[in-house]
Amino acid sequence: MFPCLVVIVFVTYIVCLKCIYYRHRRDLKHGLNAFISLETPGADIECLVVTAHPDDECMFFGPTIIRLVECNVNVHLLCLSEGNYYNHGAQRKQELFNSCAKLGIPSSRITILDHKNLPDNPKAEWRISLVTSIIAKHLRAHTFNMVLTFDGRGVSGHSNHVAIYKAVRHLASTDQVPNDCCLLSLVTVGLLRKYVSFLELPLSWLLPSSLSCIIGSEGYRQCKAAMLCHRTQLVWFRYLYITFSRYMFVNTFQMIPHGPKVNKMY
């Protein structure tokens, strides 16, 4: 009796997951249009993803990039370092281009920086003023409807991730971002939620968020292929991450509000 009950519960759960996924596919495009105001109706949506290192784009933002590309959004990437922590900068740069090709971002929309004051190092504190000026310059050079980046906990707690959030938050609070450009931060979840794979989807769907992006089995394979492009980073625990991380299946975002807020700059 008990094994039958377990099977029924499991099958019901899988059906619920499929329902969530297909409803999300239907609603995402409408949701984007709801909080993005285009100057020209029917114009393409331009989205900028700001990351710290090569592999951030697929390790954390993969589901979002895949879903936005499916919705015909022009996704751009600004990566603030080459990931030269182990002196593999040139190789990691090429790995980033290969990964983005799997995700659907053309090389013409990728910007990778190699700044001596922005080293790939979790112990290095990036100056928020410098990160702010670099992102602001990139925003002035383009017209974006959306900017996506990390939240204040940086998903993995990496100090470089947190520095980017602080910089984007400062830009928003000092009116250096157009009001029609929405800023979104990737929600950091606890350890248990982070490593229960696709089983976490219902909770992400139910909890309030400004934007959620969910992929199915085909999207997961695409995201995994992008991760496998980063060969220099494929140590044993990365394979565990690929298998068990909910960030390989779902991203949830919260809005970074425009408006005054006192930020510490250093």
Side-chain angles (χ1 to χ4, degrees):
M1 179 66 181
F2 181 73
C4 291
L5 182 61
V6 171
V7 170
I8 291 172
V9 171
F10 181 75
V11 170
T12 303
Y13 192 80
I14 295 299
V15 170
C16 289
L17 290 179
K18 286 186 174 291
C19 290
I20 289 172
Y21 171 66
Y22 286 114
R23 181 176 177 183
H24 170 265
R25 285 181 63 90
R26 184 192 66 195
D27 294 347
L28 180 60
K29 185 68 174 180
H30 174 75
L32 289 173
N33 293 330
F35 65 78
I36 294 177
S37 55
L38 298 173
E39 291 184 3
T40 306
D44 291 338
I45 296 174
E46 304 289 336
C47 173
L48 175 66
V49 180
V50 186
T51 62
H53 321 105
D55 79 5
D56 288 349
E57 77 291 339
C58 55
M59 192 169 184
F60 304 115
F61 296 92
T64 300
I65 295 172
I66 290 169
R67 290 295 292 119
L68 291 180
V69 170
E70 287 178 356
C71 292
N72 298 318
V73 174
N74 294 328
V75 180
H76 303 248
L77 178 70
L78 172 61
C79 183
L80 297 187
S81 80
E82 289 187 342
N84 201 34
Y85 187 57
Y86 293 107
N87 297 316
H88 292 149
Q91 189 174 348
R92 293 197 68 188
K93 183 176 180 180
Q94 185 57 52
E95 289 173 350
L96 176 62
F97 281 111
N98 295 341
S99 170
C100 286
K102 297 289 185 183
L103 295 173
I105 305 177
S107 58
S108 59
R109 297 190 195 135
I110 302 170
T111 303
I112 310 174
L113 302 183
D114 181 21
H115 196 292
K116 64 179 182 179
N117 293 324
L118 298 177
D120 171 17
N121 190 334
K123 297 179 180 179
E125 294 289 336
W126 286 1
R127 274 194 301 121
I128 308 304
S129 57
L130 173 60
V131 178
T132 301
S133 66
I134 289 172
I135 297 175
K137 181 180 179 180
H138 199 74
L139 293 178
R140 287 194 297 269
H142 303 82
T143 301
F144 296 112
N145 310 107
M146 302 171 62
V147 176
L148 310 178
T149 193
F150 300 98
D151 69 359
R153 292 190 288 167
V155 181
S156 63
H158 200 300
S159 62
N160 300 164
H161 300 177
V162 175
I164 295 176
Y165 169 78
K166 290 180 178 179
V168 173
R169 182 69 189 89
H170 180 76
L171 288 171
S173 66
T174 53
D175 291 328
Q176 296 185 60
V177 179
N179 289 329
D180 58 356
C181 178
C182 67
L183 309 174
L184 296 160
S185 61
L186 180 64
V187 174
T188 299
V189 300
L191 198 62
L192 179 60
R193 286 183 61 193
K194 186 175 182 178
Y195 291 111
V196 292
S197 190
F198 61 86
L199 299 177
E200 197 268 348
L201 294 184
L203 188 57
S204 289
W205 178 261
L206 291 172
L207 292 175
S209 63
S210 300
L211 175 69
S212 64
C213 293
I214 299 171
I215 55 176
S217 57
E218 184 178 344
Y220 170 75
R221 286 191 291 271
Q222 186 179 352
C223 195
K224 179 181 177 180
M227 281 286 289
L228 294 178
C229 289
H230 293 280
R231 295 185 178 277
T232 58
Q233 306 304 298
L234 291 179
V235 290
W236 65 270
F237 55 82
R238 287 297 175 100
Y239 290 100
L240 293 178
Y241 184 94
I242 291 170
T243 304
F244 294 108
S245 175
R246 55 87 78 171
Y247 289 97
M248 294 292 292
F249 292 92
V250 59
N251 292 154
T252 50
F253 293 85
Q254 295 293 352
M255 196 80 72
I256 301 175
H258 293 255
K261 179 183 168 109
V262 176
N263 278 10
K264 181 180 178 181
M265 294 287 291
Y266 49 90

